Amino acid sequence: MARVRMTRNPLVAAAIVLTVAAAGAAGWGGVSRYQAAHDDSAAYAQVRDDALAAGEQAVQNMNTLDHEQLAKGLDSWEDSTTGDLHQQLVDGRDGFVKQIQEAKTVSTAKVLSGAVTELDDRAGKAGVMVALRVTVTAPKGKPAVKESRMLGQLTRTSDGWKLSALGQAPVGNTAG
Amino acid sequence: MKPGSGTTTDVVTDETDVATDETDVEGAEAGEAGVPGTAERARDDDTGAGAGAGADAGAGAGAPGGEETEAGPARRWPRVLAGVLAVVLLAAGGAFYVAGRQLRDTPATSNKALTDSAATTQVAGDVTNALGKVFSYGPGDTAATKASAQQLLAGKALQQYAALFGQVEKQAADQKLTLTTHVVRAGVTRLTHDSAHLLVFMDQVYERKGKAASTAAAQLSVTARLRQGRWTIVEIDAR
């Protein structure tokens, strides 16, 4: 009996230790998983990246327009915006169509770099700055390439982040 | 299994398993259901016979051996359960941990821009100040600008700047040129504990004596590194 116990005990002890260790691993893993899921800064980081991606895409859309595909281009403008900016685009659409059809220009844009400058996760507001290269091709003459720097305000909608304001970063307005 | 080499080690394992081996045999005789694997049992019987000494020793213990035999089937299940439980718990722990890592360690979370607001503000402020100093000079004070560049720039940025500044110094003196640089907006695109990438919009106002000032817009991508608690610009690319 004594001998059997001697030989058996280490196994039982090892089994207990293993089980306890396994339970510990499960508990620790569970806690780790729970904390990760409820990690505010991880969620915030994800929102920041989502806002930046949406903002860069929207700014690019707003600087892209082909006179031969006007309807498609202007639809994409309207899809990229919300609020007052969206309303302005809808209201001004007819006049704009006329302008571009006369000018027959094709604009393409490439985002060079972008950054989120402010982000209010709760209010669903974000500010982005985007450097981009815009190429405008008119029927006559060489394509005009210009670097553009834009500041945009994003608002979160049920359909993702959309531009609620967009403008060139003002030049020469730095007295203050 | 060759008896020659296997015997000694088998004896050891059999000794620990004596009770259960015996149990298997008895259980089979009693027609007990639920003991898996007849092949395994046959092998157990073989080794039991081959390692006769060990098996005999167990049986020879008499009454205690009998008790073990009775308690055997009941004892095996907790053991199997414990094993399964341990494996399941370990697997669950591992799975949870991996899931947690995946949630936490994404490309998004490794970038501390804005999520660490203090560090974000600091790097944007340091870079804004540095660019303002390094790209502002008057005809008389290029030396001060040069000195601040030595402090605020490093690496590739300092080399580029040094190459450029030879011309700038001459121009400033010859044309009485004053350059003033204002950062309009600086945004942090990527931030880790000691390195940062920023996008900077700035205005540069050129003033020549006797002429109207002209303003140029510039966009820069800046790489900075944290050195001794201060962000130093190591690379500047025009956008």
Side-chain angles (χ1 to χ4, degrees):
Chain A
M1 185 66 187
R3 205 171 78 109
V4 173
R5 262 199 188 285
M6 285 291 281
T7 49
R8 182 172 299 231
N9 254 347
L11 272 184
V12 173
I16 289 170
V17 167
L18 182 66
T19 309
V20 169
W28 176 65
V31 167
S32 168
R33 164 74 175 77
Y34 179 86
Q35 282 176 344
H38 294 79
D39 186 339
D40 284 346
S41 87
Y44 189 78
Q46 193 55 53
V47 171
R48 176 201 61 208
D49 287 4
D50 291 347
L52 181 60
E56 287 185 349
Q57 185 59 55
V59 170
Q60 181 176 327
N61 291 349
M62 296 293 291
N63 284 278
T64 302
L65 196 64
D66 183 342
H67 71 97
E68 284 181 351
Q69 299 179 347
L70 260 184
K72 191 179 152 212
L74 292 174
D75 285 349
S76 131
W77 284 22
E78 286 169 17
D79 278 348
S80 305
T81 53
T82 186
D84 286 351
L85 182 59
H86 180 78
Q87 199 52 48
Q88 279 172 30
L89 289 174
V90 172
D91 292 346
R93 182 161 176 148
D94 291 344
F96 203 77
V97 165
K98 214 173 267 175
Q99 264 183 40
I100 299 298
Q101 278 173 342
E102 280 170 20
K104 290 197 182 356
T105 51
V106 178
S107 305
T108 54
K110 181 179 186 297
V111 171
L112 301 174
S113 180
V116 179
T117 52
E118 54 201 320
L119 175 63
D120 186 339
D121 192 10
R122 289 197 175 183
K125 299 272 181 197
V128 290
M129 56 191 289
V130 179
L132 74 168
R133 179 174 297 135
V134 183
T135 309
V136 181
T137 312
K140 288 174 191 167
K142 278 187 185 172
V145 179
K146 107 184 151 148
E147 260 78 64
S148 178
R149 51 182 207 184
M150 313 221 60
L151 300 177
Q153 289 294 321
L154 295 169
T155 302
R156 187 168 45 207
T157 69
S158 57
D159 207 15
W161 291 91
K162 309 231 170 191
L163 281 171
S164 45
L166 180 66
Q168 295 270 343
V171 178
N173 188 22
T174 49
Chain B
M1 185 186 294
K2 282 189 177 174
S5 63
T7 313
T8 47
T9 50
D10 278 350
V11 169
V12 176
T13 50
D14 280 346
E15 268 182 351
T16 57
D17 275 333
V18 163
T20 46
D21 283 346
E22 296 267 298
T23 312
D24 276 356
V25 177
E26 301 241 323
E29 278 168 5
E32 195 170 306
V35 181
T38 39
E40 193 184 75
R41 200 177 308 132
R43 197 207 49 167
D44 280 355
D45 286 349
D46 280 354
T47 49
D56 283 349
E67 264 176 32
E68 290 276 305
T69 315
E70 293 276 33
R75 234 169 229 256
R76 169 153 276 204
W77 284 110
R79 220 186 267 187
V80 171
L81 275 178
V84 169
L85 187 67
V87 168
V88 167
L89 284 172
L90 270 178
F96 278 139
Y97 178 71
V98 168
R101 293 302 284 192
Q102 279 172 350
L103 276 177
R104 202 191 298 253
D105 294 346
T106 62
T109 53
S110 66
N111 178 3
K112 297 192 190 314
L114 292 174
T115 59
D116 185 344
S117 57
T120 305
T121 309
Q122 196 207 344
V123 67
D126 282 1
V127 167
T128 296
N129 287 338
L131 289 173
K133 278 184 188 159
V134 165
F135 291 113
S136 295
Y137 49 79
D141 64 352
T142 49
T145 303
K146 215 174 178 177
S148 63
Q150 292 286 345
Q151 253 186 340
L152 302 170
L153 307 182
K156 200 177 157 197
L158 187 57
Q159 291 169 20
Q160 291 169 334
Y161 188 83
L164 192 80
F165 207 75
Q167 302 166 9
V168 167
E169 242 176 334
K170 195 167 176 298
Q171 255 184 2
D174 290 355
Q175 306 178 8
K176 303 245 181 294
L177 178 68
T178 303
L179 175 67
T180 315
T181 296
H182 303 278
V183 169
V184 178
R185 185 86 47 120
V188 181
T189 53
R190 190 145 192 92
L191 176 66
T192 64
H193 71 284
D194 69 345
S195 102
H197 293 270
L198 297 92
L199 174 62
V200 183
F201 292 167
M202 52 189 207
D203 282 352
Q204 299 192 293
V205 183
Y206 294 86
E207 288 170 280
R208 284 188 180 82
K209 209 174 179 185
K211 283 190 181 176
S214 63
T215 306
Q219 296 91 257
L220 301 178
S221 278
V222 173
T223 306
R225 274 191 204 294
L226 189 63
R227 288 186 181 161
Q228 284 127 34
R230 192 187 177 85
W231 289 93
T232 309
I233 296 173
V234 293
E235 213 173 322
I236 299 175
D237 290 306
R239 279 302 187 184

